[in-house]
Amino acid sequence: QKIENAILLQSLKPQDRAIFQLRYFDGFSAKEISRMMNLPPGTIRSRLSRCRKYLKENIELYGGQDTIVVITEDSVCDERQV
């Protein structure tokens, strides 16, 4: 189950995945991310919304819970509720 969820997260577009990670794993606000990525805050919020929707729909499709797992290069698992 954890591997499937990690694969779902990896299936996001690279920029969307970066935005998602900055928000939900690194704790940055949409305004902070917008400055980092040189995008309007509204664009950041809409991409986060799209990511959440995509991940929730696909997690439910696989019968999982609303938990996203990221496996880093160090093989450390980190879980976050979506």
Side-chain angles (χ1 to χ4, degrees):
Q1 181 66 41
K2 289 182 178 186
I3 298 298
E4 290 171 354
N5 290 351
I7 291 168
L8 281 175
L9 189 58
Q10 291 299 318
S11 70
L12 293 171
K13 294 177 185 175
Q15 190 175 45
D16 290 347
R17 186 171 57 245
I19 290 169
F20 189 87
Q21 182 167 348
L22 286 168
R23 176 68 186 104
Y24 293 105
F25 289 88
D26 300 332
F28 291 102
S29 70
K31 190 174 183 179
E32 291 169 320
I33 297 168
S34 75
R35 280 190 237 125
M36 285 182 231
M37 303 195 89
N38 198 28
L39 293 168
T43 299
I44 300 299
R45 287 190 296 273
S46 72
R47 288 190 183 182
L48 286 169
S49 177
R50 250 194 338 256
C51 287
R52 285 191 307 269
K53 181 180 179 189
Y54 168 80
L55 293 169
K56 278 187 175 238
E57 286 173 354
N58 283 283
I59 288 170
E60 289 170 4
L61 180 68
Y62 290 110
Q65 301 172 3
D66 291 345
T67 303
I68 293 297
V69 178
V70 172
I71 301 173
T72 66
E73 303 83 46
D74 301 334
S75 297
V76 175
C77 291
D78 192 4
E79 298 184 7
R80 294 288 191 268
Q81 291 297 116
V82 176

